[in-house]
Amino acid sequence: FAALVFLASGTLGIISFGSEKLLNPPIQIGEGAVFLPMLSGLFGASTLIISMFSRRELPPQGETDYTLPPKRLIRGIFFGSTAGSLVAWFPGVSSAVATIIARLAIPNEYEESESEFIVSLSGANTSNAIFTLTALYIIGRTRSGAVAAIDQILTINQETMLLLFTIISLTALISYPTTILIGKKALKLFEHINYTHFLSSVLILLLSMVILFTGTTGLVIFATAIPIGMLPHYLGVRKSHLMGCILLPVTLYLLG
């Protein structure tokens, strides 16, 4: 089933990239990109629709104490950071793959496994962001959309890298207490949110963005991507296999 999901999403990716010149957005801001309808359908709208039909209320929310032992905390950071740094060097491989690698390395026999996985997830995303910048500086290749944007805006040299790493460090220090503070306040806010209405609003927003920025061609890609994005849920496989939408076209392109 995993291979089926990978091939289905990969086929969608090949067709979508081949149809990029057919995009006819009503609002022209730069060049239309198939990533918006394709990824929104595969990962966004599909999950929203499943959630709308599976449950209509948010589960009870409450504060919990952080009780992860230091040994497991360090292990989660190590596995996540290592996986994130490794995948940063490969084209078409995102931090989602790093989280899978980290997940495989973390045993599930302990009650704190979920907490340790969250730690490794954070480590993977952070290290991936750092090492994609490093890859840009060392080999001159972009490995993510954010880094590609940085490459177009800034001249990459030692001074720029030092500035970027300083910003990353400061952001990490500020985001830790800020996340805890906002998280506690968000708990009270979530209690008053109508789950179905909230999901419907986000789905309508996604649909509107797809139509406005990619036109009817993007809408077709979006509509096709939604059922493919639902396959992992019903077939019991990980949604990360949907990354075939990028991996398969990129692999075929590199092979010529």
Side-chain angles (χ1 to χ4, degrees):
F1 290 138
L4 173 64
V5 172
F6 183 85
L7 290 174
S9 61
T11 303
L12 174 66
I14 294 172
I15 296 174
S16 298
F17 287 119
S19 306
E20 192 163 17
K21 294 182 179 180
L22 300 177
L23 296 178
N24 52 345
I27 298 179
Q28 188 71 41
I29 301 179
E31 295 184 1
V34 297
F35 284 106
L36 174 61
M38 182 173 66
L39 297 182
S40 296
L42 289 174
F43 296 98
S46 60
T47 303
L48 291 173
I49 293 173
I50 291 173
S51 298
M52 289 174 63
F53 286 100
S54 60
R55 63 183 183 187
R56 297 184 179 275
E57 294 182 357
L58 285 171
Q61 305 292 313
E63 295 185 24
T64 57
D65 295 329
Y66 187 78
T67 58
L68 191 64
K71 180 179 179 181
R72 304 203 65 190
L73 174 64
I74 294 173
R75 185 173 67 178
I77 294 173
F78 173 76
F79 283 130
S81 301
T82 302
S85 62
L86 289 176
V87 302
W89 299 91
F90 296 95
V93 183
S94 68
S95 57
V97 178
T99 61
I100 297 175
I101 298 174
R103 183 61 174 173
L104 294 175
I106 297 174
N108 292 324
E109 65 268 18
Y110 300 102
E111 294 182 357
E112 301 92 352
S113 295
E114 293 183 357
S115 298
E116 187 176 352
F117 173 68
I118 293 175
V119 172
S120 67
L121 175 64
S122 301
N125 289 327
T126 303
S127 65
N128 184 260
I130 294 173
F131 279 91
T132 49
L133 284 173
T134 305
L136 174 62
Y137 178 69
I138 295 177
I139 63 177
R141 298 294 181 89
T142 58
R143 294 294 185 244
S144 71
V147 173
I150 291 174
D151 187 34
Q152 293 180 358
I153 297 173
L154 302 175
T155 301
I156 303 301
N157 50 38
Q158 290 184 354
E159 290 76 14
T160 305
M161 293 297 294
L162 179 60
L163 174 63
L164 291 174
F165 284 139
T166 301
I167 293 173
I168 290 174
S169 301
L170 292 175
T171 303
L173 291 174
I174 296 173
S175 63
Y176 177 74
T178 304
T179 301
I180 296 176
L181 177 63
I182 295 177
K184 291 181 178 180
K185 294 184 178 297
L187 288 176
K188 299 178 181 179
L189 176 63
F190 288 156
E191 295 176 355
H192 305 287
I193 293 178
N194 185 300
Y195 190 67
T196 303
H197 292 169
F198 177 70
L199 293 179
S200 301
S201 300
V202 176
L203 186 60
I204 293 172
L205 176 62
L206 278 178
L207 180 61
S208 301
M209 291 176 61
V210 168
I211 295 174
L212 289 175
F213 296 115
T214 60
T216 54
T217 303
L219 182 60
V220 172
I221 296 174
F222 180 72
T224 306
I226 291 176
I228 297 176
M230 291 180 174
L231 288 177
H233 176 79
Y234 293 108
L235 296 179
V237 298
R238 297 181 183 275
K239 288 185 74 71
S240 56
H241 294 101
L242 293 172
M243 289 305 296
C245 67
I246 297 176
L247 289 175
L248 187 57
V250 169
T251 302
L252 294 177
Y253 174 78
L254 294 177
L255 292 176

